[in-house]
Amino acid sequence: MTITELPTARTGSQPPARRDDATPGQLVLTHEQVEALGRELDALRARVVADLGEADREYIYKIIKAQRTLEVAGRAMFYFGFFPPAWAAGVVALGVSKILDNMEIGHNVMHGQYDWMREPSLNSREFEWDTVCPADQWRHSHNYMHHTYTNILGEDRDIGYGILRMDRDQRWNPYYLGNLLWASGLMFAFQWGVMLHDLEVENLVRGKRRWSDIKGLAKGMWRKASRQVLKDYLVFPALTGPLAPLTLAGNASANLVRNVWTFSIIFCGHFPSGVQTFTPEECENETKGQWYLRQMLGSANIIGSPLFHIMSGNLSHQIEHHLFPDVPANRYPTMAPEVQAICEKYGLPYNTGTFSHQILSTWKKIAKLSLPNSMVSDDVEFSVKVEPKKADVA
């Protein structure tokens, strides 16, 4: 996105942001403007948190009830799996159940979004979800590593998951010619990719990490994955007797539906055109306002219906999620207009688009980055320069 496509600051006590004439596509914000932006976002968060209550409690309980009902219905349908429409209905119901469990329930609960309820079953440190990745390992790789170092090259391993080249500043090698193939494999087996993420396999291969360092992680993965495999591919199929092969296929299909959908939503929120990355040097001594700015520039939203937002775990509001990861996600749709207005006020982009636009943009980037930089054009990128505070200049 070029600077000429961006609105300029219009309101507020801060002076408007300005373009850097020496660097086309760069917006210049003063330190004071960035800190003012941070205070506005802090105020928005505080206002929403103070309003949390019964409506939010009822919302998550309704989602849990719907998820459990769909799971029971889906598994029941497989007892009639000899009738193709019943088998297909079972796959859809179980697949939707798994999506809700992973995204609108599991992901959000483990972010601590419902810890304020003091409900043991919704405690972020105790919750376990219906996927092969152990919850405690996910909380480290996602809650800590990703949300602390969002889009910082070399520190946020979600940039490519150690498998893909997702930024021009990642050094190219012939392995990345398979970018599209590796991305497709990750999409179809996404729960397994998430499980292996904390192992840092690429660092094991390079000798930066020892096998002895991952023994505890591997044991946890084995325990969780074996239980999931036993449940989906042995116990529940066996319960349907002679229909066991059809039930096994149905369970595998439901997991596939969940994997493809989850991958697509997450990649649309992190990698379409216009999402920015940062160097560690750019983020040194980062203030809260600068952290907020990085989250806004390093995320993208997806336009959709209320049902679409629920099915995405409200990660269709990835910008708001990166800004406020521990605020209940059902609040993001009402927070989004205020966040967008703050972006417009300071001349910042608010990266949003339809699902088809964002997913097409993402796959184009995956294909483009499979090639060396010298073989593809460099898109004009929007960037923000933060001037040092006046005291530092003096």
Side-chain angles (χ1 to χ4, degrees):
M1 180 178 289
T2 62
I3 192 67
T4 54
E5 296 174 314
L6 298 174
T8 56
R10 298 193 301 270
T11 61
S13 59
Q14 294 297 322
R18 61 181 175 84
R19 300 182 180 92
D20 187 339
D21 295 332
T23 309
Q26 186 172 78
L27 181 74
V28 179
L29 292 175
T30 67
H31 174 84
E32 290 73 20
Q33 285 176 315
V34 174
E35 295 312 294
L37 175 148
R39 288 192 294 272
E40 291 191 52
L41 291 169
D42 278 340
L44 171 59
R45 181 188 184 280
R47 193 165 66 249
V48 172
V49 169
D51 188 55
L52 295 179
E54 192 60 31
D56 304 279
R57 188 187 304 270
E58 290 180 3
Y59 174 82
I60 191 61
Y61 283 147
K62 285 180 181 178
I63 295 295
I64 292 171
K65 182 179 180 180
Q67 182 270 321
R68 291 174 178 173
T69 300
L70 285 164
E71 181 176 8
V72 170
R75 296 198 184 282
M77 290 288 185
F78 290 141
Y79 284 91
F80 305 94
F82 56 86
F83 183 49
W87 183 88
V91 170
V92 171
L94 187 58
V96 171
S97 166
K98 286 176 175 287
I99 288 170
L100 288 175
D101 176 87
N102 277 197
M103 303 193 77
E104 186 69 338
I105 302 172
H107 172 274
N108 294 337
V109 167
M110 288 191 290
H111 264 297
Q113 294 180 8
Y114 295 97
D115 283 356
W116 58 272
M117 289 174 53
R118 308 298 186 205
E119 169 62 54
S121 64
L122 297 176
N123 184 293
S124 61
R125 295 173 296 280
E126 303 295 333
F127 189 88
E128 191 60 74
W129 54 354
D130 181 28
T131 185
V132 295
C133 180
D136 60 333
Q137 294 184 23
W138 181 86
R139 285 191 291 269
H140 174 261
S141 63
H142 183 81
N143 285 13
Y144 174 66
M145 294 300 295
H146 174 57
H147 278 273
T148 301
Y149 304 107
T150 311
N151 282 29
I152 301 178
L153 288 165
E155 296 186 13
D156 180 7
R157 295 186 60 258
D158 279 24
I159 303 175
Y161 290 82
I163 301 170
L164 308 173
R165 184 172 185 247
M166 296 303 302
D167 190 270
R168 289 178 65 89
D169 288 334
Q170 289 175 278
R171 181 177 296 178
W172 184 88
N173 65 62
Y175 162 84
Y176 291 118
L177 290 171
N179 230 27
L180 285 168
L181 180 62
W182 315 144
S184 299
L186 179 62
M187 176 176 67
F188 293 129
F190 194 57
Q191 68 166 333
W192 296 94
V194 172
M195 181 192 76
L196 296 172
H197 193 34
D198 221 22
L199 290 180
E200 301 181 21
V201 174
E202 74 280 12
N203 288 329
L204 287 170
V205 172
R206 295 168 184 163
K208 295 181 178 180
R209 199 174 196 191
R210 297 174 299 178
W211 288 100
S212 58
D213 296 333
I214 65 167
K215 285 183 179 179
L217 291 173
K219 287 180 180 178
M221 291 175 187
W222 171 257
R223 285 194 299 268
K224 183 65 191 301
S226 60
R227 287 198 297 268
Q228 289 295 125
V229 169
L230 183 68
K231 173 176 70 72
D232 276 344
Y233 302 127
L234 290 174
V235 174
F236 278 108
L239 290 174
T240 58
L243 297 177
L246 287 173
T247 303
L248 188 152
N251 287 348
S253 297
N255 281 326
L256 180 62
V257 167
R258 184 266 318 279
N259 288 346
V260 171
W261 177 255
T262 305
F263 170 96
S264 299
I265 293 295
I266 290 174
F267 270 56
C268 280
H270 292 83
F271 302 119
S273 176
V275 170
Q276 298 176 42
T277 57
F278 310 86
T279 66
E281 293 73 24
E282 289 174 318
C283 303
E284 286 182 356
N285 303 314
E286 194 175 54
T287 66
K288 183 65 176 296
Q290 290 167 342
W291 181 87
Y292 274 138
L293 182 62
R294 174 160 55 88
Q295 308 308 313
M296 298 165 87
L297 296 175
S299 315
N301 282 8
I302 313 169
I303 297 169
S305 67
L307 179 59
F308 177 85
H309 295 319
I310 291 171
M311 291 300 296
S312 74
N314 274 289
L315 293 181
S316 47
H317 296 94
Q318 189 67 240
I319 297 171
E320 287 70 31
H321 176 60
H322 275 164
L323 291 171
F324 314 111
D326 60 347
V327 171
N330 63 293
R331 293 297 190 114
Y332 295 158
T334 57
M335 300 175 82
E338 292 194 55
V339 173
Q340 186 169 9
I342 292 171
C343 285
E344 291 176 354
K345 176 178 176 178
Y346 290 92
L348 297 169
Y350 187 80
N351 191 335
T352 188
T354 63
F355 178 76
S356 59
H357 176 273
Q358 300 292 50
I359 197 68
L360 180 60
S361 173
T362 298
W363 280 101
K364 282 183 177 178
K365 178 183 284 190
I366 293 170
K368 183 175 181 177
L369 291 173
S370 67
L371 301 173
N373 290 344
S374 60
M375 294 182 64
V376 292
S377 61
D378 188 5
D379 294 334
V380 176
E381 293 289 345
F382 171 83
S383 63
V384 176
K385 176 183 177 182
V386 179
E387 292 182 337
K389 57 184 176 181
K390 296 176 182 178
D392 291 343
V393 175

